[in-house]
Amino acid sequence: MKAFQKVILGVLLLFAVVIGFFSIEFVQGFSSVKQSAAVKKEEPENIPTTINVALIGSDARSKEENGRSDSLMVAQYNQKTQKAKLISIMRDSYVDIPGYGFDKINAAYSYGGVELLNKTLKENFKFEAPYYASITFQDFIDCVNELFPDGVTIDAEKNLDLDGVFIKKGTQKMDGNTLLQYARFREDEEGDFGRIRRQQQVIKAISDQLKDVTSIFKLPKAVGKLLGSIQTNLPESVLIDCGLDFVKGKNKQIDTLSVPVDGSWDFNDYTPSGSVLELDLTKNQQAINAFLTK
């Protein structure tokens, strides 16, 4: 066999090994969580350039139930410009849930899944999120630990203690469970207002650090595990394309908005749902429209 033939054969063999490794790692990651998952996918044929996706952190104990949307965000992503926007909606927002009457917005997902949640968004805030991505607490923990084996760097605002996890103020690396508790904490004078600020901080930290900690050898398994953990109606091709934008650092700064906006709510402690935030819907509709169209 001639020398150049050996070189070509060697390159082809190496290529086959690399492809095989990536394929196996992806399948292992995907299968490790998908075997027990209740797949809920309705993949649209035509995906617009700009997509609105409801991001749901569910407190469900398993994928067979919806649970309440313990955290609710709506992400807008422009696949052409790679510009991302993020709206955080406070869970105690008191809204009219179609067919159920007034309740906290986090109940909509529990009552009727993503379809009712989207109807609730349209009814109260005059915008839609036809796509969704839902993940349970445990899957969030597992995915963070897979993607960031050394932890996610966060500058903690204050000392916090939730579910036995004590967090000291200052810059530190958090594993998946610590990061979840940091994002969920609301047992202080700020309540949901501080909570959604920390949730946005966590999303930005993950986005900023993803491209630095995910090696090419760990990426296939991590991506496979992430796709297997998320319940969504977005095609996997769109998820992968958007994910690669973040990994490659193509995404621009994430703009954020918190709902209700300043001066658009009142506290009410005397409702069938307990303590709630009563909203001036017109002010919030105007703020959301201005944010998404600017």
Side-chain angles (χ1 to χ4, degrees):
M1 183 179 293
K2 296 181 179 181
F4 80 92
Q5 291 176 320
K6 291 182 179 180
V7 172
I8 292 176
L9 182 60
V11 171
L12 291 175
L13 181 60
L14 178 61
F15 182 74
V17 170
V18 170
I19 294 298
F21 169 79
F22 281 6
S23 299
I24 291 171
E25 287 292 291
F26 179 87
V27 170
Q28 284 182 343
F30 187 83
S31 300
S32 66
V33 290
K34 214 55 175 178
Q35 288 176 350
S36 61
V39 183
K40 298 180 181 178
K41 289 203 173 184
E42 299 174 3
E43 299 191 350
E45 293 182 0
N46 299 312
I47 305 295
T49 300
T50 301
I51 54 177
N52 289 345
V53 184
L55 305 178
I56 303 161
S58 169
D59 62 3
R61 300 302 178 184
S62 72
K63 294 182 177 65
E64 284 70 37
E65 61 175 328
N66 286 326
R68 287 177 177 253
S69 52
D70 188 78
S71 65
L72 174 60
M73 301 180 180
V74 177
Q76 183 183 86
Y77 188 67
N78 187 307
Q79 298 180 79
K80 184 176 181 179
T81 63
Q82 286 89 43
K83 186 174 183 180
K85 298 179 180 181
L86 190 66
I87 301 173
S88 296
I89 303 176
M90 296 187 193
R91 54 179 281 171
D92 289 344
S93 297
Y94 202 45
V95 297
D96 188 4
I97 300 176
Y100 292 87
F102 277 86
D103 204 341
K104 297 180 180 181
I105 196 169
N106 71 329
Y109 185 65
S110 176
Y111 290 154
V114 68
E115 182 178 355
L116 182 58
L117 174 59
N118 194 39
K119 288 181 180 178
T120 303
L121 291 174
K122 184 177 181 181
E123 175 77 20
N124 293 274
F125 300 115
K126 305 304 180 187
F127 83 106
E128 295 183 79
Y131 310 111
Y132 76 98
S134 175
I135 190 169
T136 66
F137 290 162
Q138 188 58 53
D139 282 332
F140 174 84
I141 292 171
D142 292 343
C143 286
V144 168
N145 290 340
E146 186 73 44
L147 290 166
F148 301 89
D150 297 325
V152 177
T153 301
I154 288 284
D155 186 7
E157 300 178 336
K158 60 178 76 174
N159 294 339
L160 302 174
D161 186 3
L162 180 65
D163 289 347
V165 176
F166 181 71
I167 298 170
K168 292 185 178 180
K169 179 181 178 180
T171 302
Q172 59 202 275
K173 287 186 176 293
M174 297 185 183
D175 63 14
N177 184 50
T178 306
L179 196 65
L180 176 68
Q181 303 311 325
Y182 180 73
R184 291 188 62 214
F185 183 85
R186 64 197 292 260
E187 305 302 324
D188 60 8
E189 67 281 358
E190 286 191 292
D192 249 351
F193 292 89
R195 184 173 184 265
I196 65 171
R197 185 178 63 250
R198 287 185 288 274
Q199 287 177 352
Q200 292 175 349
Q201 181 188 9
V202 166
I203 293 294
K204 289 181 178 180
I206 290 175
S207 172
D208 291 342
Q209 297 171 45
L210 187 61
K211 59 182 177 293
D212 298 324
V213 301
T214 308
S215 73
I216 190 172
F217 295 105
K218 294 178 180 178
L219 185 59
K221 186 175 181 179
V223 170
K225 189 164 188 175
L226 184 61
L227 291 180
S229 299
I230 294 174
Q231 294 188 48
T232 181
N233 63 344
L234 276 170
E236 288 170 6
S237 59
V238 175
L239 285 172
I240 292 174
D241 287 345
C242 293
L244 287 176
D245 285 346
F246 280 84
V247 171
K248 294 175 182 177
K250 287 185 177 181
N251 58 298
K252 310 296 190 299
Q253 179 179 351
I254 300 177
D255 296 330
T256 60
L257 177 72
S258 298
V259 173
V261 296
D262 291 342
S264 71
W265 61 276
D266 289 303
F267 180 75
N268 187 342
D269 200 23
Y270 301 97
T271 74
S273 302
S275 300
V276 301
L277 302 176
E278 293 186 328
L279 312 185
D280 181 327
L281 290 179
T282 300
K283 286 185 178 180
N284 284 285
Q285 291 164 8
Q286 292 172 347
I288 290 172
N289 181 67
F291 176 72
L292 292 178
T293 56
K294 69 179 179 181

